[in-house]
Amino acid sequence: MPSNTFSTPIFFPLSSDLMQNRPKMESFHRFRLWVFVFLCLMFQSGNGFYLPGSYPHKYGIGDELSVKVNSLTSIETEMPFSYYSLPFCKPEGGVKDSAENLGELLMGDRIENSPYKFKMYTNESEIFLCQVEKLSDDEFKILKKRIDEMYQVNLILDNLPAIRFTKKVEYFLRWTGYPVGIKIQDVYYMFNHLRFNVLVHKYEETNVARVMGTGDATEMIPTIGKEGSDKPGYMVVGFEVIPCSIMHNADSVKGLKMYNKYPSPIRCDPSTVAMPIKEGQPLTFTYEITFEESDIKWPSRWDAYLKMEGAKVHWFSILNSLMVITFLAGIVLVIFLRTVRRDLTRYEELDKEAQAQMNEELSGWKLVVGDVFRAPSNPALLCIMVGDGVQILGMAVVTILFAALGFMSPASRGTLITGMLFFYMILGVAAGYVAVRLWRTIGCGDQKGWSSVAWKAACFFPGIAFLILTTLNFLLWGSHSTGAIPFSLFVILILLWFCISVPLTLIGGLFGARAPHVEYPVRTNQIPREIPQQRYPSWLLVLGAGTLPFGTLFIELFFIMSSIWMGRVYYVFGFLLVVMILLVVVCAEVSLVLTYMHLCVEDWRWWWKSFFASGSVAIYIFLYSINYLVFDLKNLSGPVSATLYLGYSLFMVLAIMLATGTVGFLSSFWFVYYLFSSVKLD
């Protein structure tokens, strides 16, 4: 729990030497602070930590603990279904939905109450839950289908998902949830008995109320004992489940009520199955619970979910990728700066006569001085895409930064998606401003049509996303999946779009219309210069330029896609932030180099090419997505599941193309402006 910190300022006279060195000392302290923040981000990347502002829940012995259920999930279909879509026991008071945020609904989470109830630190066994009536033909078929598709049951206790351990050779594998059942030699067995093991840690009151002063002058003030604080209390730090298939006698449970003791001993052996399911046969459910005191402390209780197998490979792969790409980017940057600097220095060192003679014998990029700022084809579309790219890139950077600082931890379901939506809407101001100001710059200050550009910027990417997600949502609706967005949520999203995002984008466009446009340093000729015939198609080089940015993120992309499609938890947001910064740098460098190469061969049509030089990384990401579908998601079954995967991949690729293309275009625009501002050519 965070404690308040009070600091008392101490004043003393400063000597003249200290006063003179004060700016240096302040600069050193600022540098040290940034180093500290960077190290904190890197450290938190590999070690899960809890959401700031969350507090542990203290339970006394005998206090009731309620288990919640989430949607049934499977990596074979990627379509979640409601827990109560299968013939499971329902709670006595009826099924009730838990409070859900926008992100949970968009992710398909449906958290509901369950009949499982425990008492803190009270072991119980052979607890009868219920007996489901005879299975109908439809229930039997859907149960077999869910078992064939390897659906997992997800339980939650005190915000901790149930975890299951399986031993393989010499190490343990961790899984969240447990399977609905198993098929052995054409016979379907169901796991109808659960053995729960809850890990608890004794509640520890903090012994410090506040800290006064800093450094060696720190003063500890003990807390004042409160009435009842000496009572033992415990925190839940682990939730394990072992599923078993037990053959129950249907006649022996007649007359039993929920939570009564089962009349005979139950031996739970996870290595054997004994409960085959048959049409017209009832199902009996039981469970047992044990509590175990653990050394795991409450802030570290998510480590079991975050530290999955392969963590060392993840660290090595990411660091190796960062070093290689940083080295390549450094080489590109050095070569590029030396080449341009040599051209400029050579020209500036000449006297006036030599400059005049040189102007008559211009070659390379100097020949396109009268066409380099000629308006591109479809300028409005370019402005709209750049504006949306700024909005998406800003949303990604801010979201990942907050996630790296721990404000969007896995413990808070849905906060990542909710945060992305919030930041995207707020950054509509930036999208409108950049799109309209670029439009006025291309039009040499003309304000005509700025409102149309701002309106289209507010609707371009959200409109395409809405079309893709609506099509996929109809598929989910047809499959009766909980991943389908409810109609009420559709209305909410549309209201957020048109009542918040669109007005903010128009406000940003108004600011862009009033801001001074960027004045070109050279004049544009009335007649465009003919472009010499090239040895090879320039677009071929543009499309190939995306390989270098792709190399910066393809390893991290594997872990991200595994977390989305394989049910794993992604938590290394510190690494992701570093990879994103490196990606931005590489995209800028690649676009700069290609723009310079095009200008050197007298090709002045650099606007769209600079955008797609870095934006072409999206093509390789989409190809990688198809490769991931074919080789890593081999068990993905059905055309609906494949369509959902490709649809979401297309949505992701479009967002990445706009963000990376914007980086490339803005960096190239700055470079061209700087290049032709540095030397006067008539």
Side-chain angles (χ1 to χ4, degrees), residues 381-394 434 438 460 539 542-543 545-546 549-550 553 580 583-592 594-595 606-619 621 652-670:
L381 180 60
L382 178 63
C383 297
I384 293 166
M385 294 176 70
V386 171
D388 284 352
V390 169
Q391 187 176 10
I392 295 171
L393 182 64
V434 172
L438 180 60
F460 178 73
W539 283 103
V542 169
L543 295 178
F550 178 74
L553 54 78
M580 171 161 279
L583 175 66
V584 169
V585 173
V586 174
C587 285
E589 292 173 348
V590 166
S591 290
L592 290 180
L594 256 73
T595 299
W606 59 272
W607 300 78
W608 281 106
K609 292 175 182 178
S610 65
F611 185 92
F612 287 111
S614 54
S616 62
V617 66
I619 298 176
I621 293 177
M652 176 187 67
V653 162
L654 176 64
I656 292 176
M657 183 199 70
L658 292 175
T660 54
T662 297
V663 172
F665 172 78
L666 293 179
S667 57
S668 294
F669 184 86
W670 169 85

Side-chain angles (χ1 to χ4, degrees), residues 113-161:
N113 60 335
S114 79
Y116 297 102
K117 292 183 179 179
F118 314 146
K119 292 181 180 179
M120 173 57 75
Y121 226 124
T122 304
N123 296 339
E124 297 179 275
S125 60
E126 292 130 16
I127 304 174
F128 171 75
L129 200 58
C130 78
Q131 186 179 59
V132 179
E133 296 297 331
K134 297 178 181 180
L135 290 176
S136 64
D137 181 54
D138 292 338
E139 290 176 333
F140 179 64
K141 288 181 179 178
I142 196 171
L143 195 55
K144 289 197 304 180
K145 186 178 180 182
R146 296 292 178 261
I147 294 175
D148 283 333
E149 293 170 341
M150 298 178 62
Y151 268 86
Q152 303 285 314
V153 180
N154 300 293
L155 306 177
I156 302 172
L157 175 65
D158 194 40
N159 203 34
L160 275 182

Side-chain angles (χ1 to χ4, degrees), residues 49-66:
F49 61 101
Y50 214 74
L51 180 70
S54 297
Y55 300 96
H57 195 123
K58 173 185 175 182
Y59 296 96
I61 296 177
D63 288 353
E64 188 175 283
L65 301 175
S66 297

Side-chain angles (χ1 to χ4, degrees), residues 367-379 382 438 441-444 520-531 599 602-608 665 669 672 676:
L367 289 173
V368 296
V369 61
D371 299 275
V372 70
F373 289 107
R374 187 176 301 280
S377 58
N378 300 317
L382 178 63
L438 180 60
T441 298
I442 294 177
C444 298
Y520 296 144
V522 293
R523 294 191 302 270
T524 301
N525 297 333
Q526 293 183 353
I527 302 176
R529 180 185 179 86
E530 184 180 356
I531 300 174
L599 294 179
E602 303 177 30
D603 186 355
W604 46 266
R605 297 173 300 185
W606 59 272
W607 300 78
W608 281 106
F665 172 78
F669 184 86
V672 173
F676 286 90

